[in-house]
């Protein structure tokens, strides 16, 4: 870079030329790529497990259910439905276009860029890739440099499976990514923080590139007085401490009454012990913080409020114990930034209305959770707030449903994906109307000159009937 | 400016704009406004673009009325939650997509169809339950003024406001935070809008433009083709984002095309086009001069007459146009139609693909295969085959661009969707905690097996009865528990 040459120029040109050649358009090619992606997952299972263990101390089970199986599902879904998804969608015609053929075509955008994060480095890289390939695009993948183990596999092993004239992996940190973003892409899919999301969107604006931004925020979790504290504690704890809290849709903080807090604390301790044993550091089921920088950041947050559960940390291991903080003030750092770690602060509110007011004062989160035996309470929380997605009485289990898209709103993001939604995200929906070449007499009504009687006729025809005829 | 936007935001936060009844009421009020004040609206549009009442009515007002009626009819259904397909893990839960308003949306209108391009997005924004700030184009002054006057008389004055002004005011406005911005206009300003939006992570819909190509095949009825093209090209004096910008055809067709367009122009606008009540004028002197400069050095086959005082430019056709000349470098947006000769359809397709993706693409041919090929091998916002403009008229179609012609789409339900957040919701109960044992650590091999079983299979109601499934779930939980404890 210092000598002025652009490291990405050649790769991007090559991919663009490939796209123009049309090789990614036929269904057979796309299916082949998807099948190859499936083989990549199957044939390198051990490698992937090892890399995820190295990066995030993920157990094989956790790697399977949160990364590999999800990717496999997406590939299977895409393969099964590819023909149906690619088909032109007929559009309903109106009075003036009854004799025409009207349909919406799904067309690839062209050269798309996927920038992936480090917390679920396989899932959050490959699931968008599945949709991008299924939609017929050429893809540039920029995996996170922070999850080094998986970055290596994605850079060295994955390209061997895919057609390298239409697919490339590029590596680098913030500086290289900045340089990459100066180039023109036809779509950019970014998963990461809101701060970097703004940088990506600003860069995209220079080329009028459409974007999907999967960002984050502080996901509130309201616990009503009317519920079983142990069941709630089980569910909240599992979703909070999975992957050592490094999940964009994890419950970030709890909102409950002081009375509920008294009942929840022992229940949370009980759940943590049940899941991770008396010495969570030796549990194979608890992850580690990705790197020193994040570890130091999280350790500093342990100083907020008062530690009610956990609070231990080990720098050499990048280990932070499953922690619950109480007596937390709204202005403290732990309530100002997305935690992204195994720390759960509890804020006290006197009931649902105060919780809703608290939530609505802040940025719209990626996820919102409400626990209550009363479906009325759950529905109220739903109706009176906004968030990317909503989970009632459980955590992000909705992620297993490909029929529910994942996406944010406001500062938590724009656009959505999973399943068919990914295919649609990476497709341009082109409206096509094919009119009859003849039957010109029918068109005479639209041509000038408009005599007075003609005007009256048109006004009558269009005015007196419902204008939905149009 | 900040104060105004704050006021609108407060109004949205009050929750007033959300109930279905309120939205329908506002839409009905908008309809009344259009019907009761039709004369004022038509007069405003008329004086901005020298447009006859009839043209203003048929080009703008009808579309607005149609859109309102379409919304009124369908909104009750659109705002309901839509259930989604579930899997084994969630079969006993409620899973659906709930549309919700985004908040405060900004609509920046354009001057060429100043009424419909501002009001059509407004209709969808209201229907989706948002508060709206409308910034009409200052170039269509009279329409901007009438909108500022009429909207507060019919709609909620705190939820839907009009802010007028030029570049300075718009720049100030763009510094504020919105929950969605819909902009109609040109590429240059589109980039500015998106950059401003990026500071707040505001999603945008950009309805831009480009040079919409029109390919005429040898195998077609030139009489009909030229009538349709003449209609679409010279309507609104060429100031239409989806007007056929230029023609591509084999050189041998040029003279015939010129002749037939000439005849059609005479038929539509009479011997003296200047005196036709159905022929509009250029919006202002700056654009008038701009279009004039495009004629320099060109072979004018017919037309070319201008009158600066009235901003009149005659319907004009240029032949043997060199692709490197100015008229082929920018969107014309005026009544000048260049014909660029090409050898065949291959050359036409290459020509189109070498350039930015246009908002619309037109192809005329009796040969269906050729039309299909044109569509397959190019990209554009939308396509009309064997006619022009018409794909705009179908509100079941998403209307929008791709590449530098824009991003996002609207019209009909697509406007509602653009201005909504479709929120995925999964509601479980606090019962059946036993089934969750599968996912909680510590893990075992049998858990891995059952985890895979439940995750990899899709729930198919026809194949497994609910009873069998519940049984399976209990068996799985029991087995795991038995093995573990």
């Amino acid at each position: 870079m210092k000598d002025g040459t652009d490291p990405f120029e050649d790769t991007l040109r090559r991919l663009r030329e490939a796209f123009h050649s049309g090789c990614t358009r036929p269904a057979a090619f796309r299916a082949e790529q998807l099948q190859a992606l499936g083989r990549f997952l199957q044939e390198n299972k051990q490698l992937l497990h090892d890399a995820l263990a190295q990066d995030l101390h993920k157990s094989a089970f956790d790697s399977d259910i949160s990364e590999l199986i999800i990717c496999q599902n997406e590939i299977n879904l895409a393969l099964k439905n590819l023909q149906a998804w690619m088909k032109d969608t007929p559009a309903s015609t109106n009075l003036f276009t009854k004799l025409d053929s009207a349909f919406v075509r799904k067309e690839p955008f062209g050269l798309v860029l996927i920038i992936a994060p480090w917390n679920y480095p396989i899932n959050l890289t490959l699931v968008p890739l599945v949709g991008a390939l299924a939609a017929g695009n050429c893809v540039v993948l920029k995996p996170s440099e922070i999850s080094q183990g998986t970055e290596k596999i994605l850079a060295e092993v994955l390209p061997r499976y895919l057609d390298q004239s239409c697919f490339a992996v590029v590596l680098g940190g913030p500086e290289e990514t900045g340089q990459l973003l100066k180039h023109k892409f036809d779509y950019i899919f970014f998963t990461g923080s809101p701060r970097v999301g703004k940088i990506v969107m600003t860069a995209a604006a220079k080329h009028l590139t459409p974007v999907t931004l999967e960002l984050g925020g502080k996901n509130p979790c309201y616990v009503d007085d009317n519920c079983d504290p142990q069941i709630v504690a089980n569910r909240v704890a599992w979703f909070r401490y999975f992957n050592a809290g490094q999940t964009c849709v994890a419950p970030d903080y709890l909102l409950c009454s002081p009375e509920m807090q008294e009942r929840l604390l022992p229940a949370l301790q009980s759940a943590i012990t049940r899941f991770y044993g008396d010495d969570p550091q030796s549990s194979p089921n608890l992850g580690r913080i990705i790197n020193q920088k994040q570890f130091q950041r999280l350790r500093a947050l342990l100083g907020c409020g008062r530690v009610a559960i956990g609070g231990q940390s080990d720098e050499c291991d990048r280990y932070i114990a499953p922690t619950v903080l109480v007596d937390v003030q709204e202005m403290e750092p732990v309530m100002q930034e997305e935690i992204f770690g195994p720390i759960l602060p509890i804020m006290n509110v006197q009931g649902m209305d105060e919780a809703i007011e608290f939530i609505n004062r802040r940025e719209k989160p990626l996820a919102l959770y409400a626990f209550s035996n009363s479906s009325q309470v759950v529905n109220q929380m739903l109706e009176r707030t906004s968030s990317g997605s909503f989970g009632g009485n459980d955590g992000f289990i909705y992620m297993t449903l490909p029929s529910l898209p994942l996406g944010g709103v406001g500062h938590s993001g724009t656009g959505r994906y999973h399943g068919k939604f990914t295919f649609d995200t990476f497709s341009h929906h082109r409206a096509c109307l094919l009119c009859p070449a003849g039957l010109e007499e029918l068109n005479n009504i639209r041509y000038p000159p408009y005599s007075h009687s003609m005007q009256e006729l048109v006004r009558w025809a269009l005015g007196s009937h419902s204008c939905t005829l149009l | 400016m900040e104060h105004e936007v704050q006021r609108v935001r407060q109004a949205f936060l009050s929750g007033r704009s959300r109930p279905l009844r309120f939205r329908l009421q506002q839409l009905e009020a908008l309809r009344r406004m259009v019907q009761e004040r039709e004369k004022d609206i038509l007069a405003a549009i008329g004086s901005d673009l020298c447009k006859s009442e009839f043209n203003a009515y048929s080009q703008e007002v009808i579309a607005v009325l149609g859109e309102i009626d379409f919304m009124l009819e369908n909104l009750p259904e659109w705002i309901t939650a839509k259930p989604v397909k579930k899997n084994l893990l969630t079969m006993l839960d409620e899973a659906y997509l709930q549309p919700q308003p985004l908040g405060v949306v900004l609509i920046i209108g354009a001057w060429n169809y100043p009424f419909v391009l501002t009001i059509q997005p407004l209709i969808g924004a209201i229907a989706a339950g948002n508060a709206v700030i409308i910034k009409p184009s200052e170039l269509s002054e009279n329409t901007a003024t009438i909108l500022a006057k009429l909207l507060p008389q019919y709609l909620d004055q705190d939820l839907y406001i009009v802010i007028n002004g030029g570049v300075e005011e718009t720049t100030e406005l763009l510094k504020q935070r919105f929950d969605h911005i819909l902009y109609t206009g040109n590429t240059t300003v589109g980039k500015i809008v998106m950059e401003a939006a990026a500071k707040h992570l505001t999603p945008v819909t950009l309805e831009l433009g480009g040079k919409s190509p029109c390919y005429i095949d040898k195998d077609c009825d030139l009489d009909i083709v030229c009538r349709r093209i003449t209609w679409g090209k010279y309507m609104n004096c060429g100031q239409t984002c989806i007007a056929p910008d230029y023609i591509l055809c084999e050189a041998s067709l040029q003279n015939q095309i010129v002749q037939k367009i000439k005849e059609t122009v005479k038929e539509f606008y009479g011997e003296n086009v200047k005196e036709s009540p159905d022929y509009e004028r250029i919006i202002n002197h700056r654009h008038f001069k701009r279009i004039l400069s495009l004629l320099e050095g060109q072979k004018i086959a017919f037309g070319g007459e201008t009158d600066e005082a009235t901003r009149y430019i005659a319907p004009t056709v240029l032949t043997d146009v060199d692709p490197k000349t100015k008229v082929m470098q920018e969107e014309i947006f005026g009544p000048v139609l260049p014909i660029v000769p090409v050898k065949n359809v291959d050359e036409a397709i290459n020509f189109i693909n070498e350039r930015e993706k246009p908002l619309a693409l037109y192809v005329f041919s009796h040969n269906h295969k050729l039309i299909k090929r044109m569509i397959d091998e190019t990209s554009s916002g939308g396509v009309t085959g064997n006619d022009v403009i018409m794909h705009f008229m179908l509100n079941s179609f998403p209307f929008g661009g791709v590449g530098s012609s824009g991003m996002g789409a609207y019209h009909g339900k697509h406007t509602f969707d653009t201005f909504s957040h479709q929120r995925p919701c999964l509601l479980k109960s606090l019962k059946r905690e036993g089934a969750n044992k599968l996912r909680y650590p510590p893990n075992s091999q049998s858990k891995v097996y059952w985890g895979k079983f439940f995750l990899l299979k899709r729930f198919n109601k026809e194949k497994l009865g609910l009873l069998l499934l519940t049984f399976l779930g209990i068996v799985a939980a029991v087995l795991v528990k038995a093995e573990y404890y």
Side-chain angles (χ1 to χ4, degrees):
Chain A
M1 256 167 22
K2 290 214 158 57
D3 65 1
T5 54
D6 184 329
F8 307 116
E9 187 84 49
D10 287 336
T11 307
L12 297 183
R13 192 185 327 118
R14 181 167 53 83
L15 258 51
R16 245 193 216 293
E17 275 162 15
F19 181 75
H20 282 306
S21 78
C23 63
T24 56
R25 317 286 294 249
F29 177 85
R30 306 183 200 191
E32 216 178 87
Q33 296 299 290
L34 292 171
Q35 279 153 1
L37 198 57
R39 280 198 311 278
F40 163 74
L41 287 175
Q42 286 144 26
E43 290 169 17
N44 297 284
K45 206 151 169 220
Q46 194 52 54
L47 263 180
L48 290 165
H49 276 163
D50 292 341
L52 290 165
Q54 175 197 329
D55 286 334
L56 290 147
H57 197 257
K58 249 187 217 183
S59 67
F61 181 72
D62 285 358
S63 296
D64 277 340
I65 64 169
S66 69
E67 305 234 34
L68 304 185
I69 292 182
I70 302 218
C71 292
Q72 191 60 63
N73 273 357
E74 288 278 339
I75 293 170
N76 295 344
L77 192 74
L79 281 169
K80 182 164 167 218
N81 294 286
L82 188 60
Q83 297 281 6
W85 290 354
M86 281 174 67
K87 251 207 190 113
D88 296 339
T89 317
S92 53
T93 53
N94 62 22
L95 186 68
F96 292 102
T97 51
K98 265 284 170 282
L99 300 167
D100 310 329
S101 171
F103 53 93
V104 176
R105 263 172 72 89
K106 321 296 166 47
E107 300 183 340
F109 278 108
L111 181 57
V112 313
L113 171 64
I114 296 173
I115 302 177
W118 51 260
N119 56 333
Y120 290 87
I122 300 297
N123 178 341
L124 299 180
T125 313
L126 296 189
V127 173
L129 178 61
V130 167
L133 290 174
N137 297 283
C138 284
V139 186
V140 174
L141 209 62
K142 172 39 206 108
S144 172
E145 72 282 12
I146 296 177
S147 42
Q148 291 172 356
T150 31
E151 189 202 26
K152 192 155 188 280
I153 300 184
L154 291 171
E156 291 171 15
V157 182
L158 178 58
R160 286 187 232 147
Y161 286 80
L162 300 177
D163 186 328
Q164 295 195 38
S165 62
C166 308
F167 170 81
V169 177
V170 300
L171 305 179
E175 212 181 311
E176 287 81 6
T177 310
Q179 180 134 18
L180 185 62
L181 284 170
K182 290 201 173 101
H183 292 270
K184 178 175 175 175
F185 293 94
D186 301 305
Y187 203 94
I188 298 178
F189 188 102
F190 170 79
T191 308
S193 72
R195 185 188 66 85
V196 181
K198 288 183 186 178
I199 297 172
V200 171
M201 189 171 171
T202 305
K206 294 195 166 47
H207 297 289
L208 286 172
T209 300
V211 299
T212 289
L213 306 173
E214 298 276 325
L215 310 175
K218 291 184 76 58
N219 305 323
C221 184
Y222 172 67
V223 181
D224 193 37
D225 284 350
N226 175 7
C227 70
D228 178 333
Q230 190 57 62
I231 294 179
V232 172
N234 290 348
R235 298 181 184 188
V236 171
W238 192 73
F239 286 102
R240 165 77 279 189
Y241 302 117
F242 191 87
N243 203 31
Q246 297 162 117
T247 309
C248 52
V249 284
D252 186 279
Y253 64 96
L254 229 65
L255 288 166
C256 67
S257 67
E259 296 77 39
M260 191 62 216
Q261 180 178 307
E262 285 310 305
R263 297 160 71 200
L264 267 178
L265 284 174
L268 282 166
Q269 178 65 74
S270 169
I272 290 170
T273 308
R274 173 183 160 185
F275 296 164
Y276 310 112
D278 290 314
D279 176 24
Q281 192 171 6
S282 59
S283 162
N285 300 119
L286 187 62
R288 294 292 181 268
I289 306 307
I290 185 76
N291 63 12
Q292 276 302 321
K293 181 171 165 206
Q294 295 296 326
F295 174 83
Q296 298 298 347
R297 179 185 67 81
L298 286 165
R299 194 156 70 168
L301 296 181
L302 291 170
C304 300
R306 175 173 62 83
V307 173
I309 300 173
Q312 300 88 359
S313 62
D314 180 350
E315 191 167 333
C316 305
D317 201 13
R318 296 193 314 278
Y319 163 79
I320 293 187
T323 300
V324 177
L325 301 175
V326 296
D327 302 333
V328 172
Q329 301 302 316
E330 201 181 334
M331 293 317 289
E332 293 188 79
V334 79
M335 284 307 294
Q336 292 298 312
E337 60 183 74
E338 185 176 357
I339 295 167
F340 229 63
I343 300 171
L344 181 66
I346 303 183
M347 298 284 302
N348 291 133
V349 288
Q350 296 298 342
M352 183 186 65
D353 290 323
E354 203 183 312
I356 290 176
E357 206 207 335
F358 186 93
I359 291 167
N360 286 342
R361 275 209 304 273
R362 309 165 86 87
E363 294 297 344
K364 295 176 187 175
L366 187 52
L368 199 147
Y369 302 103
F371 288 83
S372 175
N373 280 327
S374 156
S375 61
Q376 233 184 353
V377 168
V378 171
N379 279 307
Q380 281 279 293
M381 285 302 293
L382 206 173
E383 277 163 35
R384 290 164 60 188
T385 61
S386 185
S387 65
S389 44
F390 180 89
N393 288 326
D394 210 350
F396 49 84
I397 193 72
Y398 55 75
M399 298 274 279
T400 61
L401 262 185
S403 52
L404 283 181
L406 175 70
V409 65
H411 265 208
S412 54
T414 173
R416 58 194 186 162
Y417 74 122
H418 280 184
K420 181 172 191 285
F421 298 101
T422 328
F423 178 89
D424 285 339
T425 288
F426 284 110
S427 302
H428 167 52
H429 297 244
R430 189 181 189 192
C432 299
L433 185 69
L434 304 184
C435 303
L439 299 171
E440 183 62 359
E441 310 74 46
L442 293 177
N443 283 337
N444 286 333
I445 201 174
R446 73 189 193 199
Y447 299 141
Y450 305 113
S451 69
H452 187 74
S453 52
M454 177 65 82
Q455 292 190 34
E456 289 306 307
L457 179 68
V458 173
R459 276 173 178 276
W460 171 83
L462 293 169
S464 60
H465 302 280
S466 162
C467 281
T468 54
L469 280 179
L470 285 170
Chain B
M1 196 70 72
E2 203 182 320
H3 179 77
E4 285 294 280
V5 178
Q6 261 306 98
R7 180 166 69 84
V8 175
R9 193 163 279 289
Q10 284 306 116
F12 174 75
L13 290 172
S14 77
R16 262 207 321 283
S17 60
R18 306 178 72 137
L20 173 65
R21 187 118 181 261
F22 179 84
R23 306 183 202 187
L24 293 172
Q25 259 169 16
Q26 293 297 300
L27 291 173
E28 276 155 1
L30 192 60
R31 195 180 208 292
R32 270 199 321 277
M33 179 190 96
V34 175
Q35 284 176 314
E36 287 170 14
R37 312 302 286 263
E38 188 188 291
K39 279 268 171 284
D40 296 326
I41 295 169
L42 296 180
I45 302 172
S47 50
D48 281 330
L49 288 146
C50 293
K51 195 176 285 210
S52 70
E53 260 196 23
F54 180 73
N55 277 354
Y57 182 81
S58 63
Q59 288 168 13
E60 303 216 42
V61 172
I62 280 181
V64 165
L65 291 174
E67 191 81 342
I68 295 176
D69 286 339
F70 187 69
M71 274 315 149
L72 287 171
E73 192 180 319
N74 292 288
L75 189 55
E77 205 266 312
W78 292 348
I79 68 167
T80 56
K82 300 289 175 293
V84 299
K85 237 187 182 147
K86 297 184 281 197
N87 60 14
L88 283 177
L89 273 176
T90 49
M91 57 166 185
L92 295 171
D93 311 321
E94 278 180 72
Y96 53 87
L97 287 171
Q98 175 66 59
Q100 292 187 314
L102 292 172
V104 178
V105 314
L106 172 64
I107 294 171
I108 303 179
W111 53 258
N112 56 331
Y113 291 91
F115 188 68
V116 66
L117 292 180
T118 319
I119 301 299
Q120 196 165 5
L122 171 66
I123 292 166
I126 295 176
N130 299 285
V132 190
I133 295 186
I134 300 140
K135 161 68 191 79
S137 169
E138 69 278 15
L139 294 191
S140 42
E141 271 183 76
N142 297 290
T143 316
T145 308
I146 202 80
L147 285 174
K149 181 168 161 214
L150 292 182
L151 283 177
Q153 289 177 16
Y154 286 81
L155 299 181
D156 186 303
Q157 293 186 14
D158 293 316
L159 282 169
Y160 316 109
I161 71 169
V162 177
I163 294 183
N164 274 322
V167 174
E168 217 179 290
E169 285 82 2
T170 311
T171 310
E172 245 342 277
L173 192 56
L174 284 171
K175 287 196 183 123
Q176 310 306 316
R177 185 172 174 186
F178 298 96
D179 299 298
H180 195 104
I181 301 176
L182 189 147
Y183 166 76
T184 308
N186 66 57
T187 308
T188 312
V189 179
K191 290 182 184 174
I192 296 173
V193 171
M194 188 170 173
E195 212 176 308
K199 292 193 171 52
H200 296 291
L201 288 170
T202 300
V204 298
T205 298
L206 304 175
E207 299 276 326
L208 310 176
K211 294 181 75 59
S212 300
C214 183
Y215 177 70
I216 303 178
D217 187 35
K218 254 207 177 87
D219 177 12
C220 72
D221 182 338
L222 269 185
D223 281 326
I224 295 179
V225 168
C226 291
R227 279 170 77 77
R228 297 179 183 183
I229 291 177
T230 306
W231 170 72
K233 175 73 196 185
Y234 301 115
M235 90 167 37
N236 207 31
C237 211
Q239 297 163 118
T240 307
C241 51
I242 45 170
D245 187 279
Y246 64 97
I247 290 179
L248 291 168
C249 66
E250 288 179 31
S252 57
L253 294 176
Q254 268 193 120
N255 288 339
Q256 289 177 74
I257 292 174
V258 167
Q259 189 53 37
K260 290 177 194 296
I261 292 183
K262 194 169 170 188
E263 280 161 16
T264 311
V265 164
K266 188 158 153 209
E267 185 195 326
F268 288 177
Y269 305 112
E271 284 286 353
N272 191 349
V273 179
K274 223 174 167 191
E275 286 173 16
S276 165
D278 300 316
Y279 192 72
E280 288 85 3
R281 297 292 181 270
I282 303 303
I283 184 77
N284 65 15
H285 278 106
R286 181 170 67 85
H287 280 282
F288 176 85
K289 288 203 159 65
R290 177 187 65 79
I291 299 166
L292 221 56
S293 73
L294 301 178
L295 297 176
E296 284 162 26
Q298 298 293 347
K299 218 195 270 177
I300 298 179
F302 84 87
E305 300 91 11
T306 65
D307 174 21
E308 190 163 342
T310 53
R311 301 188 313 275
Y312 166 82
I313 299 181
T316 303
V317 176
L318 311 173
T319 49
D320 293 315
V321 175
D322 178 355
K324 291 196 279 299
T325 52
K326 202 165 173 217
V327 77
M328 286 305 294
Q329 299 306 314
E330 60 182 72
E331 186 176 357
I332 296 166
F333 228 64
V336 172
L337 181 59
I339 304 180
V340 177
V342 287
K343 281 198 205 68
N344 49 34
V345 70
D346 296 303
E347 201 179 302
I349 290 175
N350 284 341
F351 189 93
I352 293 168
N353 287 340
E354 275 165 14
R355 311 171 116 72
E356 295 294 342
K357 296 174 188 177
L359 187 52
L361 188 137
Y362 302 112
V363 46
F364 287 88
S365 178
H366 281 138
N367 181 348
H368 227 78
K369 271 212 177 96
L370 186 140
I371 295 184
K372 187 165 191 301
R373 191 182 153 205
M374 253 280 152
I375 298 179
D376 276 346
E377 295 180 27
T378 61
S379 187
S380 66
V383 176
T384 298
N386 284 326
D387 208 335
V388 294
I389 313 282
M390 293 307 286
H391 66 277
F392 181 92
M393 310 290 205
L394 214 58
N395 67 5
S396 55
F397 266 163
F399 180 74
V402 66
S404 61
S405 55
M407 60 180 76
Y410 75 116
H411 279 191
K413 180 161 197 291
H414 305 285
T415 327
F416 176 86
D417 289 339
T418 288
F419 290 122
S420 301
H421 172 54
Q422 298 278 355
R423 191 182 192 189
C425 305
L426 183 65
L427 304 187
K428 295 177 83 81
S429 90
L430 284 170
K431 305 192 188 83
R432 292 182 296 276
E433 179 64 356
N436 281 338
K437 287 194 168 65
L438 262 183
R439 69 189 191 198
Y440 297 146
N443 306 123
S444 64
Q445 196 44 50
S446 70
K447 273 200 187 184
V448 173
Y449 170 73
W450 282 107
K452 283 190 172 143
F453 174 80
F454 279 105
L455 283 173
L456 279 172
K457 300 281 190 279
R458 274 293 278 299
F459 174 51
N460 191 327
K461 263 201 273 233
E462 289 83 29
K463 288 206 179 136
L464 286 168
L466 210 60
L467 208 60
L468 178 59
L469 229 32
T470 319
F471 175 70
L472 268 173
I474 294 172
V475 164
V478 163
L479 276 178
V480 167
K481 186 172 182 177
E483 189 191 278
Y484 212 82
Y485 288 95

